[in-house]
Short mmCIF file of all heavy atoms in Angstrom, two decimals:
data_model
loop_
_atom_site.label_atom_id
_atom_site.label_comp_id
_atom_site.label_asym_id
_atom_site.label_seq_id
_atom_site.Cartn_x
_atom_site.Cartn_y
_atom_site.Cartn_z
N MET A 1 -31.08 2.92 -11.91
CA MET A 1 -29.79 2.55 -11.38
C MET A 1 -29.08 1.63 -12.35
O MET A 1 -29.69 0.77 -12.98
CB MET A 1 -29.95 1.81 -10.06
CG MET A 1 -29.84 2.70 -8.86
SD MET A 1 -30.14 1.77 -7.37
CE MET A 1 -28.49 1.59 -6.83
N ALA A 2 -27.76 1.79 -12.42
CA ALA A 2 -26.97 0.93 -13.29
C ALA A 2 -26.71 -0.39 -12.58
O ALA A 2 -26.13 -0.42 -11.49
CB ALA A 2 -25.67 1.61 -13.63
N VAL A 3 -27.16 -1.46 -13.19
CA VAL A 3 -26.99 -2.79 -12.62
C VAL A 3 -26.36 -3.67 -13.69
O VAL A 3 -26.80 -3.65 -14.84
CB VAL A 3 -28.35 -3.38 -12.17
CG1 VAL A 3 -28.19 -4.78 -11.63
CG2 VAL A 3 -28.99 -2.48 -11.14
N PRO A 4 -25.32 -4.46 -13.35
CA PRO A 4 -24.72 -5.33 -14.34
C PRO A 4 -25.73 -6.36 -14.86
O PRO A 4 -26.50 -6.93 -14.09
CB PRO A 4 -23.59 -6.04 -13.59
CG PRO A 4 -23.38 -5.26 -12.35
CD PRO A 4 -24.63 -4.52 -12.07
N LYS A 5 -25.72 -6.56 -16.17
CA LYS A 5 -26.66 -7.51 -16.77
C LYS A 5 -26.27 -8.95 -16.48
O LYS A 5 -27.12 -9.81 -16.29
CB LYS A 5 -26.72 -7.27 -18.26
CG LYS A 5 -27.91 -7.89 -18.93
CD LYS A 5 -28.23 -7.17 -20.21
CE LYS A 5 -29.72 -7.26 -20.47
NZ LYS A 5 -30.26 -6.10 -21.10
N ARG A 6 -24.94 -9.22 -16.48
CA ARG A 6 -24.44 -10.57 -16.22
C ARG A 6 -23.32 -10.52 -15.18
O ARG A 6 -22.67 -9.50 -15.02
CB ARG A 6 -23.90 -11.18 -17.50
CG ARG A 6 -24.96 -11.53 -18.51
CD ARG A 6 -24.36 -12.22 -19.72
NE ARG A 6 -25.37 -12.42 -20.73
CZ ARG A 6 -25.71 -11.50 -21.64
NH1 ARG A 6 -25.14 -10.32 -21.66
NH2 ARG A 6 -26.63 -11.78 -22.53
N LYS A 7 -23.12 -11.67 -14.55
CA LYS A 7 -22.03 -11.79 -13.58
C LYS A 7 -20.69 -11.72 -14.30
O LYS A 7 -20.51 -12.33 -15.35
CB LYS A 7 -22.15 -13.14 -12.85
CG LYS A 7 -21.04 -13.42 -11.89
CD LYS A 7 -21.23 -14.79 -11.25
CE LYS A 7 -20.06 -15.12 -10.37
NZ LYS A 7 -20.19 -16.44 -9.77
N VAL A 8 -19.76 -10.97 -13.73
CA VAL A 8 -18.41 -10.90 -14.29
C VAL A 8 -17.66 -12.15 -13.83
O VAL A 8 -17.59 -12.43 -12.63
CB VAL A 8 -17.69 -9.62 -13.82
CG1 VAL A 8 -16.27 -9.59 -14.30
CG2 VAL A 8 -18.43 -8.39 -14.28
N SER A 9 -17.11 -12.88 -14.79
CA SER A 9 -16.43 -14.12 -14.46
C SER A 9 -15.15 -13.83 -13.66
O SER A 9 -14.59 -12.74 -13.72
CB SER A 9 -16.08 -14.91 -15.72
OG SER A 9 -15.09 -14.22 -16.44
N LYS A 10 -14.67 -14.85 -12.94
CA LYS A 10 -13.46 -14.69 -12.14
C LYS A 10 -12.25 -14.39 -13.02
O LYS A 10 -11.39 -13.60 -12.65
CB LYS A 10 -13.20 -15.96 -11.33
CG LYS A 10 -14.23 -16.21 -10.27
CD LYS A 10 -14.02 -17.57 -9.65
CE LYS A 10 -15.24 -17.97 -8.83
NZ LYS A 10 -15.23 -19.37 -8.51
N ALA A 11 -12.20 -15.02 -14.18
CA ALA A 11 -11.07 -14.80 -15.09
C ALA A 11 -11.06 -13.35 -15.59
O ALA A 11 -10.01 -12.71 -15.63
CB ALA A 11 -11.15 -15.76 -16.27
N ARG A 12 -12.22 -12.85 -15.97
CA ARG A 12 -12.31 -11.47 -16.47
C ARG A 12 -12.00 -10.46 -15.36
O ARG A 12 -11.29 -9.49 -15.57
CB ARG A 12 -13.69 -11.24 -17.05
CG ARG A 12 -13.82 -9.96 -17.83
CD ARG A 12 -15.16 -9.90 -18.55
NE ARG A 12 -15.25 -8.72 -19.36
CZ ARG A 12 -14.81 -8.63 -20.60
NH1 ARG A 12 -14.19 -9.66 -21.16
NH2 ARG A 12 -14.94 -7.50 -21.27
N ARG A 13 -12.53 -10.73 -14.17
CA ARG A 13 -12.28 -9.85 -13.02
C ARG A 13 -10.78 -9.83 -12.67
O ARG A 13 -10.19 -8.77 -12.48
CB ARG A 13 -13.08 -10.37 -11.83
CG ARG A 13 -12.85 -9.59 -10.55
CD ARG A 13 -13.29 -10.40 -9.35
NE ARG A 13 -12.45 -11.57 -9.19
CZ ARG A 13 -12.79 -12.64 -8.48
NH1 ARG A 13 -13.97 -12.71 -7.90
NH2 ARG A 13 -11.96 -13.66 -8.35
N ASP A 14 -10.15 -11.00 -12.62
CA ASP A 14 -8.74 -11.08 -12.25
C ASP A 14 -7.84 -10.50 -13.32
O ASP A 14 -6.78 -9.97 -13.02
CB ASP A 14 -8.37 -12.52 -11.94
CG ASP A 14 -9.09 -13.04 -10.69
OD1 ASP A 14 -9.60 -12.21 -9.92
OD2 ASP A 14 -9.15 -14.27 -10.51
N LYS A 15 -8.25 -10.65 -14.59
CA LYS A 15 -7.48 -10.08 -15.69
C LYS A 15 -7.44 -8.55 -15.58
O LYS A 15 -6.42 -7.92 -15.83
CB LYS A 15 -8.11 -10.49 -17.02
CG LYS A 15 -7.19 -10.44 -18.19
CD LYS A 15 -7.88 -10.75 -19.50
CE LYS A 15 -8.71 -12.00 -19.46
NZ LYS A 15 -9.37 -12.30 -20.75
N ARG A 16 -8.54 -7.98 -15.19
CA ARG A 16 -8.62 -6.52 -15.02
C ARG A 16 -7.79 -6.06 -13.83
O ARG A 16 -7.12 -5.04 -13.89
CB ARG A 16 -10.08 -6.12 -14.84
CG ARG A 16 -10.28 -4.62 -14.71
CD ARG A 16 -11.74 -4.26 -14.50
NE ARG A 16 -12.25 -4.75 -13.22
CZ ARG A 16 -13.22 -5.64 -13.09
NH1 ARG A 16 -13.78 -6.20 -14.14
NH2 ARG A 16 -13.64 -6.00 -11.89
N ARG A 17 -7.81 -6.82 -12.75
CA ARG A 17 -7.09 -6.43 -11.53
C ARG A 17 -5.58 -6.68 -11.61
O ARG A 17 -4.82 -6.10 -10.85
CB ARG A 17 -7.64 -7.22 -10.35
CG ARG A 17 -9.03 -6.82 -9.95
CD ARG A 17 -9.49 -7.65 -8.78
NE ARG A 17 -10.84 -7.29 -8.39
CZ ARG A 17 -11.54 -7.94 -7.47
NH1 ARG A 17 -10.99 -8.97 -6.84
NH2 ARG A 17 -12.75 -7.57 -7.16
N SER A 18 -5.16 -7.55 -12.50
CA SER A 18 -3.76 -7.96 -12.52
C SER A 18 -2.81 -6.81 -12.81
O SER A 18 -1.67 -6.81 -12.33
CB SER A 18 -3.55 -9.07 -13.54
OG SER A 18 -3.72 -8.56 -14.85
N ALA A 19 -3.23 -5.83 -13.57
CA ALA A 19 -2.36 -4.71 -13.92
C ALA A 19 -2.08 -3.83 -12.71
O ALA A 19 -1.03 -3.17 -12.65
CB ALA A 19 -3.00 -3.89 -15.03
N ASN A 20 -2.96 -3.81 -11.73
CA ASN A 20 -2.79 -2.92 -10.58
C ASN A 20 -1.91 -3.52 -9.50
O ASN A 20 -1.40 -2.79 -8.65
CB ASN A 20 -4.15 -2.57 -9.99
CG ASN A 20 -5.04 -1.87 -10.99
OD1 ASN A 20 -4.55 -1.13 -11.83
ND2 ASN A 20 -6.33 -2.12 -10.91
N PHE A 21 -1.72 -4.83 -9.50
CA PHE A 21 -0.96 -5.48 -8.45
C PHE A 21 0.48 -5.76 -8.86
O PHE A 21 1.18 -6.52 -8.21
CB PHE A 21 -1.64 -6.78 -8.04
CG PHE A 21 -2.96 -6.55 -7.36
CD1 PHE A 21 -4.12 -7.04 -7.90
CD2 PHE A 21 -3.04 -5.82 -6.20
CE1 PHE A 21 -5.34 -6.83 -7.29
CE2 PHE A 21 -4.25 -5.59 -5.57
CZ PHE A 21 -5.40 -6.10 -6.11
N ARG A 22 0.92 -5.16 -9.94
CA ARG A 22 2.27 -5.39 -10.43
C ARG A 22 3.28 -4.66 -9.55
O ARG A 22 3.10 -3.49 -9.22
CB ARG A 22 2.37 -4.87 -11.86
CG ARG A 22 3.38 -5.57 -12.69
CD ARG A 22 3.35 -5.10 -14.13
NE ARG A 22 2.02 -5.15 -14.70
CZ ARG A 22 1.50 -4.20 -15.47
NH1 ARG A 22 2.19 -3.14 -15.77
NH2 ARG A 22 0.29 -4.31 -15.95
N LEU A 23 4.36 -5.32 -9.18
CA LEU A 23 5.41 -4.69 -8.39
C LEU A 23 6.52 -4.20 -9.31
O LEU A 23 6.90 -4.89 -10.26
CB LEU A 23 6.00 -5.68 -7.38
CG LEU A 23 5.09 -6.11 -6.25
CD1 LEU A 23 5.79 -7.16 -5.41
CD2 LEU A 23 4.71 -4.93 -5.39
N ASP A 24 7.04 -3.02 -9.02
CA ASP A 24 8.13 -2.47 -9.80
C ASP A 24 9.43 -2.58 -9.01
O ASP A 24 9.44 -2.40 -7.79
CB ASP A 24 7.88 -1.00 -10.13
CG ASP A 24 6.69 -0.82 -11.04
OD1 ASP A 24 6.44 -1.72 -11.85
OD2 ASP A 24 6.02 0.23 -10.95
N ALA A 25 10.50 -2.84 -9.70
CA ALA A 25 11.81 -2.88 -9.06
C ALA A 25 12.24 -1.45 -8.75
O ALA A 25 11.95 -0.53 -9.52
CB ALA A 25 12.82 -3.54 -9.97
N PRO A 26 12.91 -1.22 -7.62
CA PRO A 26 13.35 0.15 -7.32
C PRO A 26 14.40 0.62 -8.31
O PRO A 26 15.21 -0.17 -8.80
CB PRO A 26 13.96 0.02 -5.91
CG PRO A 26 14.27 -1.42 -5.76
CD PRO A 26 13.30 -2.17 -6.60
N THR A 27 14.36 1.89 -8.65
CA THR A 27 15.29 2.46 -9.61
C THR A 27 16.65 2.64 -8.96
O THR A 27 16.78 3.33 -7.96
CB THR A 27 14.77 3.81 -10.12
OG1 THR A 27 13.44 3.64 -10.59
CG2 THR A 27 15.63 4.35 -11.23
N MET A 28 17.65 2.00 -9.55
CA MET A 28 19.00 2.08 -9.02
C MET A 28 19.86 2.86 -10.02
O MET A 28 19.73 2.68 -11.22
CB MET A 28 19.59 0.68 -8.84
CG MET A 28 18.77 -0.24 -7.94
SD MET A 28 18.83 0.24 -6.23
CE MET A 28 20.38 -0.46 -5.76
N VAL A 29 20.72 3.73 -9.48
CA VAL A 29 21.63 4.51 -10.32
C VAL A 29 23.04 4.36 -9.80
O VAL A 29 23.25 4.04 -8.63
CB VAL A 29 21.24 6.01 -10.35
CG1 VAL A 29 19.91 6.21 -11.03
CG2 VAL A 29 21.22 6.60 -8.96
N LYS A 30 24.01 4.61 -10.68
CA LYS A 30 25.41 4.54 -10.26
C LYS A 30 25.82 5.86 -9.64
O LYS A 30 25.47 6.93 -10.14
CB LYS A 30 26.31 4.27 -11.47
CG LYS A 30 26.52 2.83 -11.76
CD LYS A 30 27.60 2.66 -12.80
CE LYS A 30 27.87 1.20 -13.02
NZ LYS A 30 28.92 0.98 -14.00
N CYS A 31 26.58 5.78 -8.56
CA CYS A 31 27.13 6.97 -7.91
C CYS A 31 28.20 7.55 -8.83
O CYS A 31 29.08 6.82 -9.30
CB CYS A 31 27.72 6.60 -6.56
SG CYS A 31 28.54 7.97 -5.73
N PRO A 32 28.17 8.86 -9.11
CA PRO A 32 29.18 9.43 -10.00
C PRO A 32 30.59 9.42 -9.41
O PRO A 32 31.57 9.43 -10.14
CB PRO A 32 28.69 10.86 -10.23
CG PRO A 32 27.72 11.13 -9.17
CD PRO A 32 27.17 9.83 -8.72
N LYS A 33 30.70 9.37 -8.08
CA LYS A 33 32.02 9.38 -7.44
C LYS A 33 32.65 8.01 -7.37
O LYS A 33 33.78 7.80 -7.79
CB LYS A 33 31.93 9.97 -6.03
CG LYS A 33 31.96 11.47 -6.01
CD LYS A 33 32.23 11.94 -4.61
CE LYS A 33 32.60 13.41 -4.65
NZ LYS A 33 33.01 13.90 -3.36
N CYS A 34 31.92 7.03 -6.80
CA CYS A 34 32.52 5.72 -6.55
C CYS A 34 32.02 4.63 -7.49
O CYS A 34 32.63 3.58 -7.58
CB CYS A 34 32.29 5.31 -5.10
SG CYS A 34 30.56 5.06 -4.69
N GLY A 35 30.90 4.84 -8.15
CA GLY A 35 30.38 3.85 -9.09
C GLY A 35 29.50 2.79 -8.48
O GLY A 35 29.05 1.88 -9.17
N GLU A 36 29.23 2.87 -7.18
CA GLU A 36 28.34 1.91 -6.52
C GLU A 36 26.89 2.21 -6.89
O GLU A 36 26.52 3.36 -7.11
CB GLU A 36 28.50 2.00 -4.99
CG GLU A 36 29.81 1.47 -4.48
CD GLU A 36 29.85 -0.03 -4.46
OE1 GLU A 36 28.82 -0.67 -4.22
OE2 GLU A 36 30.94 -0.59 -4.71
N TYR A 37 26.06 1.17 -6.93
CA TYR A 37 24.63 1.35 -7.19
C TYR A 37 23.92 1.72 -5.89
O TYR A 37 24.19 1.16 -4.84
CB TYR A 37 24.02 0.08 -7.76
CG TYR A 37 24.31 -0.11 -9.23
CD1 TYR A 37 25.31 -0.95 -9.65
CD2 TYR A 37 23.58 0.59 -10.17
CE1 TYR A 37 25.58 -1.12 -11.00
CE2 TYR A 37 23.84 0.44 -11.52
CZ TYR A 37 24.83 -0.42 -11.93
OH TYR A 37 25.09 -0.58 -13.26
N ASN A 38 23.01 2.68 -5.98
CA ASN A 38 22.18 3.05 -4.83
C ASN A 38 20.86 3.61 -5.33
O ASN A 38 20.68 3.87 -6.51
CB ASN A 38 22.90 4.04 -3.90
CG ASN A 38 23.28 5.32 -4.60
OD1 ASN A 38 23.36 5.35 -5.81
ND2 ASN A 38 23.53 6.36 -3.87
N LEU A 39 19.90 3.80 -4.42
CA LEU A 39 18.60 4.34 -4.78
C LEU A 39 18.73 5.81 -5.17
O LEU A 39 19.60 6.52 -4.66
CB LEU A 39 17.63 4.20 -3.61
CG LEU A 39 17.24 2.79 -3.23
CD1 LEU A 39 16.44 2.80 -1.94
CD2 LEU A 39 16.44 2.13 -4.32
N THR A 40 17.83 6.26 -6.04
CA THR A 40 17.86 7.65 -6.47
C THR A 40 17.50 8.58 -5.32
O THR A 40 16.71 8.22 -4.43
CB THR A 40 16.88 7.89 -7.62
OG1 THR A 40 15.58 7.51 -7.19
CG2 THR A 40 17.26 7.09 -8.83
N HIS A 41 18.06 9.77 -5.32
CA HIS A 41 17.80 10.81 -4.32
C HIS A 41 18.14 10.37 -2.91
O HIS A 41 17.48 10.74 -1.94
CB HIS A 41 16.35 11.30 -4.38
CG HIS A 41 15.93 11.73 -5.75
ND1 HIS A 41 16.39 12.88 -6.34
CD2 HIS A 41 15.14 11.14 -6.66
CE1 HIS A 41 15.87 12.99 -7.54
NE2 HIS A 41 15.11 11.95 -7.77
N ARG A 42 19.19 9.55 -2.77
CA ARG A 42 19.66 9.10 -1.47
C ARG A 42 21.17 9.31 -1.40
O ARG A 42 21.86 9.32 -2.41
CB ARG A 42 19.41 7.60 -1.25
CG ARG A 42 17.99 7.13 -1.42
CD ARG A 42 17.11 7.58 -0.27
NE ARG A 42 15.85 6.88 -0.17
CZ ARG A 42 14.84 6.96 -1.01
NH1 ARG A 42 14.95 7.67 -2.10
NH2 ARG A 42 13.71 6.31 -0.79
N VAL A 43 21.68 9.46 -0.19
CA VAL A 43 23.13 9.58 0.02
C VAL A 43 23.75 8.23 -0.27
O VAL A 43 23.22 7.19 0.13
CB VAL A 43 23.43 10.03 1.47
CG1 VAL A 43 24.91 10.03 1.74
CG2 VAL A 43 22.84 11.40 1.73
N CYS A 44 24.88 8.22 -0.96
CA CYS A 44 25.58 6.98 -1.30
C CYS A 44 26.11 6.35 -0.01
O CYS A 44 26.75 7.02 0.80
CB CYS A 44 26.72 7.26 -2.27
SG CYS A 44 27.64 5.79 -2.72
N ARG A 45 25.86 5.06 0.16
CA ARG A 45 26.29 4.38 1.38
C ARG A 45 27.78 4.12 1.42
O ARG A 45 28.37 4.02 2.48
CB ARG A 45 25.56 3.05 1.53
CG ARG A 45 24.11 3.22 1.85
CD ARG A 45 23.46 1.89 2.01
NE ARG A 45 22.41 2.01 3.01
CZ ARG A 45 21.80 0.99 3.56
NH1 ARG A 45 22.13 -0.22 3.22
NH2 ARG A 45 20.86 1.18 4.45
N SER A 46 28.41 4.00 0.25
CA SER A 46 29.83 3.65 0.26
C SER A 46 30.72 4.88 0.39
O SER A 46 31.73 4.83 1.10
CB SER A 46 30.19 2.86 -0.99
OG SER A 46 29.94 3.65 -2.14
N CYS A 47 30.39 5.99 -0.28
CA CYS A 47 31.28 7.15 -0.21
C CYS A 47 30.66 8.34 0.54
O CYS A 47 31.35 9.29 0.87
CB CYS A 47 31.71 7.59 -1.60
SG CYS A 47 30.38 8.23 -2.63
N GLY A 48 29.35 8.31 0.81
CA GLY A 48 28.70 9.36 1.60
C GLY A 48 28.44 10.65 0.84
O GLY A 48 28.23 11.69 1.46
N SER A 49 28.41 10.61 -0.49
CA SER A 49 28.18 11.83 -1.26
C SER A 49 26.76 11.87 -1.81
O SER A 49 26.11 10.84 -1.99
CB SER A 49 29.18 11.92 -2.41
OG SER A 49 28.95 10.88 -3.32
N TYR A 50 26.29 13.08 -2.07
CA TYR A 50 24.99 13.30 -2.68
C TYR A 50 25.07 14.56 -3.51
O TYR A 50 25.51 15.60 -3.02
CB TYR A 50 23.89 13.43 -1.62
CG TYR A 50 22.54 13.73 -2.21
CD1 TYR A 50 21.82 12.73 -2.85
CD2 TYR A 50 21.98 14.99 -2.15
CE1 TYR A 50 20.58 12.98 -3.40
CE2 TYR A 50 20.74 15.26 -2.70
CZ TYR A 50 20.04 14.25 -3.33
OH TYR A 50 18.81 14.51 -3.89
N ALA A 51 24.69 14.48 -4.77
CA ALA A 51 24.69 15.61 -5.70
C ALA A 51 26.07 16.25 -5.81
O ALA A 51 26.21 17.47 -5.87
CB ALA A 51 23.64 16.65 -5.30
N GLY A 52 27.12 15.41 -5.79
CA GLY A 52 28.48 15.90 -5.96
C GLY A 52 29.12 16.47 -4.70
O GLY A 52 30.26 16.92 -4.74
N LYS A 53 28.40 16.47 -3.59
CA LYS A 53 28.94 17.00 -2.33
C LYS A 53 29.04 15.87 -1.32
O LYS A 53 28.19 14.99 -1.27
CB LYS A 53 28.03 18.08 -1.77
CG LYS A 53 27.87 19.27 -2.68
CD LYS A 53 26.84 20.22 -2.13
CE LYS A 53 26.48 21.22 -3.20
NZ LYS A 53 25.14 21.74 -3.06
N VAL A 54 30.08 15.94 -0.48
CA VAL A 54 30.24 14.94 0.57
C VAL A 54 29.33 15.33 1.73
O VAL A 54 29.47 16.39 2.32
CB VAL A 54 31.72 14.84 1.04
CG1 VAL A 54 31.84 13.87 2.19
CG2 VAL A 54 32.60 14.42 -0.13
N ILE A 55 28.38 14.46 2.04
CA ILE A 55 27.42 14.73 3.11
C ILE A 55 27.85 14.03 4.39
O ILE A 55 27.81 14.60 5.47
CB ILE A 55 26.00 14.23 2.69
CG1 ILE A 55 25.57 14.85 1.36
CG2 ILE A 55 24.99 14.51 3.78
CD1 ILE A 55 25.43 16.36 1.38
N ILE A 56 28.29 12.78 4.27
CA ILE A 56 28.73 11.99 5.42
C ILE A 56 30.18 11.64 5.22
O ILE A 56 30.56 11.08 4.20
CB ILE A 56 27.90 10.70 5.54
CG1 ILE A 56 26.41 11.04 5.70
CG2 ILE A 56 28.37 9.87 6.72
CD1 ILE A 56 25.51 9.83 5.57
N GLU A 57 31.00 11.98 6.21
CA GLU A 57 32.42 11.63 6.15
C GLU A 57 32.57 10.14 6.44
O GLU A 57 32.13 9.66 7.47
CB GLU A 57 33.22 12.45 7.18
CG GLU A 57 33.30 13.92 6.85
CD GLU A 57 34.12 14.23 5.61
OE1 GLU A 57 35.05 13.45 5.30
OE2 GLU A 57 33.83 15.23 4.94
N LYS A 58 33.18 9.41 5.53
CA LYS A 58 33.39 7.98 5.70
C LYS A 58 34.86 7.73 6.00
O LYS A 58 35.74 8.34 5.43
CB LYS A 58 33.01 7.22 4.43
CG LYS A 58 31.54 7.19 4.16
CD LYS A 58 30.91 6.16 5.05
CE LYS A 58 29.46 5.94 4.67
NZ LYS A 58 28.87 4.83 5.34
N ALA A 59 35.13 6.79 6.91
CA ALA A 59 36.51 6.40 7.21
C ALA A 59 37.00 5.48 6.10
O ALA A 59 36.25 4.67 5.54
CB ALA A 59 36.56 5.67 8.55
N ASP A 60 38.28 5.58 5.74
CA ASP A 60 38.83 4.78 4.67
C ASP A 60 39.03 3.32 5.04
O ASP A 60 39.13 2.46 4.19
CB ASP A 60 40.17 5.37 4.21
CG ASP A 60 40.00 6.71 3.51
OD1 ASP A 60 38.89 6.93 2.97
OD2 ASP A 60 40.92 7.52 3.52
N ASN A 61 39.10 3.03 6.35
CA ASN A 61 39.37 1.66 6.77
C ASN A 61 38.13 0.78 6.79
O ASN A 61 38.20 -0.37 7.15
CB ASN A 61 40.04 1.65 8.15
CG ASN A 61 39.20 2.34 9.19
OD1 ASN A 61 38.07 2.75 8.92
ND2 ASN A 61 39.73 2.49 10.39
N GLU A 62 36.97 1.24 6.45
CA GLU A 62 35.75 0.44 6.48
C GLU A 62 35.65 -0.47 5.31
O GLU A 62 36.00 -0.32 4.25
CB GLU A 62 34.52 1.34 6.51
CG GLU A 62 34.34 1.96 7.86
CD GLU A 62 33.04 2.77 7.92
OE1 GLU A 62 32.08 2.42 7.23
OE2 GLU A 62 33.02 3.76 8.65
#
């Protein structure tokens, strides 16, 4: 059986684990119609368009 010869120190263990706990910022893109930032592959909240088509009709007075 494979058994570790020495104890892995806390610093070495945490250094190895640190790469897996990194948080990434969500990818934001500009809407081609209105220029507002929104998440990728989502309907734009300000103008209601997705992939160049109007999906949700938005009132102009909002």
Side-chain angles (χ1 to χ4, degrees):
M1 265 177 102
V3 178
K5 197 156 210 146
R6 289 184 186 85
K7 176 182 175 182
V8 176
S9 69
K10 293 172 194 165
R12 191 171 184 86
R13 177 199 66 199
D14 294 343
K15 202 184 310 181
R16 182 181 66 243
R17 290 180 181 174
S18 69
N20 300 327
F21 293 119
R22 208 175 308 138
L23 292 176
D24 294 329
T27 307
M28 303 289 279
V29 294
K30 271 190 176 181
C31 176
K33 277 195 166 186
C34 64
E36 289 283 326
Y37 281 100
N38 59 340
L39 293 172
T40 57
H41 307 288
R42 305 288 196 291
V43 175
C44 180
R45 289 181 147 192
S46 61
C47 66
S49 65
Y50 177 75
K53 299 173 192 152
V54 176
I55 305 298
I56 301 170
E57 292 293 331
K58 290 282 189 171
D60 292 335
N61 58 5
E62 286 185 30

